[in-house]
Amino acid sequence: MDKPCTLMIHFKKGSAAMANVINSDLVGSDVAAKTEAMKRAVMLLLNGETLPKLFLTVVRYVFPSEDHTIQKLLLLYLEIIDKRDPAGRVLPEMILVCQKLRDNLRHLNEYIRGITLRFLCRLSEPEILEPLVPSILENLEHRHHFVRRHAVSAISAIYRLRHGDKLIPDAPELVERALASEQDASARRNAFLTLCLCAQERALVHLFSNAQRVTQWPDLLQMAAVELIRKVCSSPNRADKGRYIKIIVPLLSSPSTAVVYECAGALASLPSAPTDARAAANAYNKLLSSQSDSNVRLILLDRLNELRNSYRHVMVDAVMDVLRALAIPNLDIKRKVLDLVLGLLTPRNVKEVVLYLKKEAGKTKSGEYRRMLLQAIHECAVEVPKVAGSVVYLLMDFLGGTNAAAAVDVVLFVREIIATANPKLRVSMIRRLSDTFYRIRASRVCSIALSILGEYSLSLSEVERAISTIKQCLGDPPFSTVSADGETTDPSKPAQPMVNSVTLSSRRPVVPADGTLSAANEAISTPSVTPVSSASTLNLRSLILSGDFCLAVVVACTLTKLVLRLQELQPSKAEANKACTGALLVMTSILQLQSSS
């Protein structure tokens, strides 16, 4: 038969054979052994053992103990044992338990009284509780707040039982009087919660009679008041919600962050004016910037997202406040912030958002975070197309970044915008791409950028500029080195390293033992290499020499497209033939390099 369980502890080493050991330890006078025996007894009972002969031993040898740990374990033991027989009647031996509990409720030590009152909150047998009611009520006026706090809780638990109103019929009046005279914060909170659960109208009367002093209440009591207001105002037919909201709004300036969070949540969940929703958003944003725990910040972002669903027009005005949370170093928080901001974009705030994201992308050193920012800027342009022209120029600055994945996202976005842009924007973007092409270092980005130049360079000036850009990034052919005996060498072999224009310009001169620098320069010079002024512009050459022949194929296809288009646009056949000859020379040099590899 299933039974209610208020305590669960895993204990895998127990067995019924331990009962004799437990019994002998309980009979002895050693406090430590008796404590361990009570622990084992509780664990065995929780794991399904009955131990029927143990109760009388506990009554005889454990009940008289004055040790606080043993008394606490005793209450756990009394909590989990069966108190009724199979017929549902209370066991006769529970009379002994009642006497022990009554003695504890009148004990000189406040700790014993407090834990006993807390134990009574988990009892549901009226036959055991009824004789204890006078002693429970006496503890409402005990000198120590620990006892008074648990006395209120015990009264609340008993009153909410099935026939609890017959055990303590005047419980609401007693608790209300105790609340009026109580000074301890926890005891006041327990009393107020008791009124909220047992006599809600009395709790509302107390709340409105102290409405001007709610801001001076302890934070525990303030949160209980906010929870009561949330519960009352959740009724759809409530017409006086404004009275309750007036109590919540001043609590947003409470020094307790828990109170501020609860108040903001109450305002967000209740139908209220835009000013109240704005106050809740500001409270969440302040908490977001002041809290250091990442889990708390993620919860706050979830609450802001819920507020966006209900009051999007209010959250739009707070988008820049939300963006400031990007200063938090946690990537999960940054991702949530960006998702939230992208849902608040309007033509009015998109420029500010894009500029802020651009500034973040420029100063971050994290490749993953930069990619997130670039994707967010892309989505800004998709959401508000009229800013695409200004956004794409910001993004093209990152084509030469070290994060290849982010650069691929950027170049794909550039291709998308060029394909759908008006002619003026397309011309300026093609020119910008040609000017910044030499910065690209990733092979895939180079391939996509080359396909863009080959596909969308339509005018004569655009075609000539694209061909010139490709040739500058390739350098002068040939692309393979020639050894001293005239044989073509493989630049990729480590045994005979190729000295090309890239390695020549970046290699430091070797100074021999005699200190003659001219002899060192002659030692590393190669007749077949054409020096260039800046090796950083030869991105295509360095990639192809490293063995990227897929990129070499894209270069050849792009040059073919551009030369064929140039022959249609160029009135001078000599210039067209010159460009064609240069393209063929590049392609044959690539073939020579491939064959030598």
Side-chain angles (χ1 to χ4, degrees):
M1 183 179 65
D2 294 336
K3 296 182 292 185
C5 178
T6 57
L7 181 65
M8 183 175 293
I9 302 174
H10 177 63
F11 182 59
K12 62 181 180 180
K13 296 181 179 180
S15 63
M18 294 176 60
N20 294 331
V21 179
I22 294 173
N23 192 74
S24 61
D25 287 342
L26 292 179
V27 172
S29 59
D30 187 359
V31 175
K34 191 173 293 188
T35 301
E36 290 300 320
M38 286 300 298
K39 288 181 180 179
R40 290 195 297 270
V42 169
M43 291 178 183
L44 284 174
L45 289 170
L46 288 174
N47 282 271
E49 301 293 339
T50 55
L51 306 180
K53 299 180 180 180
L54 188 64
F55 180 76
L56 293 178
T57 304
V58 170
V59 170
R60 185 174 179 182
Y61 296 101
V62 180
F63 274 25
S65 176
E66 293 294 331
D67 184 78
H68 289 181
T69 303
I70 293 178
Q71 286 298 315
K72 187 173 182 178
L73 291 170
L74 171 63
L75 294 176
L76 293 177
Y77 170 80
L78 295 177
E79 180 181 340
I80 59 180
I81 62 172
D82 293 328
K83 303 173 185 66
R84 296 182 181 273
D85 58 18
R89 295 184 297 270
V90 175
L91 296 172
E93 54 264 31
M94 289 299 111
I95 297 175
L96 301 175
V97 174
C98 288
Q99 182 61 42
K100 173 62 179 176
L101 295 176
R102 186 184 296 110
D103 293 342
N104 282 359
L105 292 174
R106 297 172 179 174
H107 202 280
L108 296 177
N109 186 276
E110 59 271 7
Y111 176 77
I112 299 296
R113 290 198 184 202
I115 61 173
T116 305
L117 289 166
R118 187 167 56 194
F119 161 74
L120 295 178
C121 295
R122 295 187 286 273
L123 284 185
S124 57
E125 289 76 19
E127 297 86 350
I128 300 176
L129 292 170
E130 185 176 6
L132 303 177
V133 168
S135 300
I136 295 172
L137 298 181
E138 289 176 4
N139 284 289
L140 277 177
E141 300 178 358
H142 193 272
R143 59 180 178 79
H144 202 282
H145 60 82
F146 179 76
V147 177
R148 298 195 302 271
R149 179 195 314 166
H150 290 296
V152 172
S153 299
I155 292 172
S156 174
I158 294 171
Y159 189 80
R160 286 183 286 117
L161 292 176
R162 185 176 180 182
H163 300 291
D165 54 341
K166 296 179 181 179
L167 295 177
I168 314 178
D170 56 344
E173 293 86 349
L174 294 173
V175 173
E176 188 176 17
R177 286 201 299 269
L179 176 60
S181 60
E182 185 58 63
Q183 299 297 322
D184 178 67
S186 298
R188 292 174 66 185
R189 171 187 174 274
N190 289 355
F192 188 79
L193 287 178
T194 300
L195 292 181
C196 294
L197 295 171
C198 304
Q200 190 177 94
E201 292 302 322
R202 290 179 182 271
L204 292 175
V205 169
H206 180 79
L207 177 63
F208 285 114
S209 63
N210 295 273
Q212 302 300 322
R213 296 188 293 273
V214 171
T215 54
Q216 303 172 6
W217 283 3
D219 53 354
L220 292 174
L221 193 55
Q222 288 176 346
M223 287 191 287
V226 172
E227 184 60 31
L228 173 63
I229 292 173
R230 190 202 295 262
K231 180 179 178 181
V232 170
C233 294
S234 61
S235 174
N237 300 323
R238 198 83 188 188
D240 56 345
K241 295 179 181 178
R243 296 176 61 197
Y244 299 96
I245 293 176
K246 288 180 180 178
I247 297 176
I248 293 179
V249 172
L251 294 179
L252 290 173
S253 58
S254 171
S256 171
T257 55
V259 174
V260 174
Y261 175 79
E262 291 295 334
C263 291
L267 288 177
S269 63
L270 300 177
S272 55
T275 53
D276 299 329
R278 188 173 294 109
N282 292 336
Y284 281 141
N285 283 321
K286 288 180 181 178
L287 291 175
L288 190 61
S289 60
S290 63
Q291 296 300 304
S292 58
D293 188 272
S294 297
N295 294 322
V296 173
R297 286 168 165 169
L298 290 172
I299 293 172
L300 290 169
L301 287 171
D302 288 337
R303 300 291 86 79
L304 284 170
N305 195 34
E306 293 173 0
L307 196 61
R308 181 194 66 178
N309 296 333
S310 304
Y311 300 94
R312 186 179 186 277
H313 60 287
V314 173
M315 286 296 297
V316 165
D317 297 332
V319 65
M320 298 308 295
D321 295 330
V322 177
L323 273 175
R324 292 190 184 94
L326 289 176
I328 300 170
N330 187 289
L331 279 179
D332 292 330
I333 295 176
K334 293 178 185 291
R335 188 176 292 107
K336 271 186 174 290
V337 170
L338 291 175
D339 291 341
L340 178 59
V341 168
L342 291 176
L344 298 173
L345 288 178
T346 63
R348 185 162 52 92
N349 64 16
V350 67
K351 289 186 178 179
E352 290 180 316
V353 172
V354 169
L355 287 175
Y356 194 96
L357 297 179
K358 168 64 165 57
K359 187 186 299 183
E360 282 288 312
K363 68 182 182 181
T364 184
K365 296 181 180 179
S366 171
E368 184 178 355
Y369 178 40
R370 178 173 292 169
R371 187 180 186 189
M372 290 164 50
L373 291 169
L374 296 179
Q375 290 175 346
I377 295 174
H378 182 183
E379 293 185 28
C380 290
V382 173
E383 187 75 20
V384 186
K386 74 175 186 178
V387 300
S390 59
V391 167
V392 75
Y393 292 127
L394 299 176
L395 291 176
M396 290 175 73
D397 292 339
F398 299 100
L399 285 175
T402 55
N403 189 336
V408 169
D409 291 339
V410 172
V411 76
L412 290 174
F413 176 52
V414 170
R415 183 175 66 182
E416 177 185 343
I417 297 299
I418 290 179
T420 59
N422 58 62
K424 290 185 177 180
L425 181 58
R426 181 191 60 79
V427 170
S428 61
M429 290 179 64
I430 289 293
R431 183 184 300 111
R432 181 68 175 273
L433 183 59
S434 298
D435 294 340
T436 59
F437 184 84
Y438 72 94
R439 300 179 183 174
I440 302 175
R441 292 293 176 266
S443 174
R444 188 182 175 194
V445 181
C446 283
S447 299
I448 300 173
L450 286 171
S451 67
I452 294 173
L453 292 176
E455 185 71 23
Y456 298 103
S457 297
L458 303 179
S459 66
L460 178 60
S461 61
E462 291 173 354
V463 172
E464 290 178 341
R465 183 182 296 108
I467 293 175
S468 175
T469 298
I470 294 173
K471 286 186 176 181
Q472 288 177 2
C473 294
L474 284 171
D476 295 334
F479 300 134
S480 58
T481 61
V482 180
S483 62
D485 56 0
E487 295 181 356
T488 302
T489 59
D490 185 354
S492 63
K493 291 182 179 179
Q496 299 176 353
M498 182 191 67
V499 182
N500 54 52
S501 58
V502 177
T503 58
L504 178 60
S505 61
S506 60
R507 182 172 176 179
R508 300 182 64 182
V510 179
V511 181
D514 58 0
T516 56
L517 183 61
S518 60
N521 290 335
E522 290 175 1
I524 65 170
S525 62
T526 305
S528 63
V529 176
T530 304
V532 294
S533 58
S534 176
S536 62
T537 62
L538 301 179
N539 52 343
L540 290 180
R541 187 185 188 95
S542 61
L543 289 170
I544 292 174
L545 288 176
S546 66
D548 192 347
F549 292 105
C550 291
L551 177 61
V553 172
V554 176
V555 171
C557 293
T558 303
L559 284 175
T560 302
K561 283 184 180 181
L562 293 172
V563 168
L564 292 176
R565 192 170 297 144
L566 182 66
Q567 289 178 345
E568 298 175 357
L569 300 173
Q570 177 61 261
S572 173
K573 297 300 180 182
E575 292 295 329
N577 292 335
K578 182 179 178 181
C580 182
T581 303
L584 290 173
L585 180 59
V586 169
M587 296 178 197
T588 55
S589 298
I590 292 173
L591 291 173
Q592 183 183 8
L593 175 64
Q594 194 276 335
S595 63
S596 66
S597 300

